[in-house]
Amino acid sequence: MRVVIAEDNALLREGMVLLLNSAGHEVAAVASSGPEVLPALLEHRPDAAVLDVRMPPGFRDEGLRAALAARREMPGLPVLVLSQYVEETYAAELLADGASGLGYLLKDRVGRVEEFLDALERVVAGGTALDPEVVKELMTRRRNDPVDSLTPREREVLHLMAEGRDNATIAGTLVVSERAVSKHIGNVFAKLGLPPSDSGHRRVLAVLAYLNKGATSAGESADRR
């Protein structure tokens, strides 16, 4: 795959270039500041973009803004966003349009080569790849939404779905059969009000409903403070 990398930390940026090249991928371009990102993406039209959330000149959300702008210009562009620590509001904003092909990882996952490459491949394939810590943070923020009606086991299954795990991996992690996992997922879909007509996208929609509602609750709590 062809990838554009946007990261201001030179050591991490070059490390990702080496990692991706070693894995047989092509780094089409790199960017070290927010204003460089969108032009690079529009010029090279890569298969995926790996973007830092906070970049120069402001070190606020330049990378995220570039990712959102790129998705508007190139609908469906797979984007894997990196962050130094959990910023659940940014994760929810990135996922707010309900589209697939999106990921949000903490930067220390890059050092875990197999996890990083697996996440990138899942995003390029149209799935989601959410860092377990991001999922955990959002999970603790939920208040009064349909996810509260899920059983503990259904929440575990949805948590793993949010990380981008397939049914076989979920079954292995929870030490249950794939048939049991399918049953739990069906229950999740029903409780979140996702009808069979949405079968092609229900998995992503379930994860987005879960994460977006959690982040909304987090934002409301912050406003009250």
Side-chain angles (χ1 to χ4, degrees), residues 11-98:
L11 184 60
L12 179 57
R13 184 175 64 246
E14 293 308 311
M16 286 192 288
V17 170
L18 179 61
L19 188 160
L20 290 170
N21 286 339
S22 298
H25 305 304
E26 175 190 348
V27 177
V30 297
S32 58
S33 69
E36 299 174 18
V37 179
L38 187 57
L41 291 171
L42 293 176
E43 177 183 352
H44 295 280
R45 302 277 170 168
D47 299 310
V50 179
L51 310 175
D52 186 7
V53 168
R54 300 188 180 203
M55 298 187 69
F59 291 100
R60 292 187 294 273
D61 59 358
E62 289 83 357
L64 176 69
R65 295 295 157 212
L68 294 172
R71 296 271 295 194
R72 287 192 294 270
E73 295 287 340
M74 295 178 284
L77 172 69
V79 173
L80 180 60
V81 171
L82 304 177
S83 180
Q84 189 67 43
Y85 44 83
V86 177
E87 298 174 281
E88 65 270 18
T89 302
Y90 290 160
E93 186 167 359
L94 181 68
L95 295 162
D97 63 359

Side-chain angles (χ1 to χ4, degrees), residues 127-201:
T128 56
L130 280 296
D131 193 287
E133 289 302 316
V134 174
V135 177
K136 180 180 178 181
E137 181 73 16
L138 291 175
M139 188 175 184
T140 62
R141 302 281 190 169
R142 290 180 293 102
R143 296 292 186 276
N144 301 319
D145 66 61
V147 178
D148 291 329
S149 67
L150 302 182
T151 67
R153 178 61 86 185
E154 289 164 357
R155 293 183 189 182
E156 288 180 309
V157 169
L158 183 52
H159 187 121
L160 291 168
M161 286 169 62
E163 292 178 16
R165 309 304 175 184
D166 59 24
N167 287 15
T169 303
I170 294 173
T173 301
L174 300 180
V175 195
V176 298
S177 67
E178 287 191 51
R179 183 176 180 180
V181 171
S182 295
K183 181 178 179 180
H184 290 311
I185 291 174
N187 290 340
V188 168
F189 290 158
K191 291 179 180 180
L192 295 183
L194 300 173
S197 59
D198 291 325
S199 58
H201 303 286

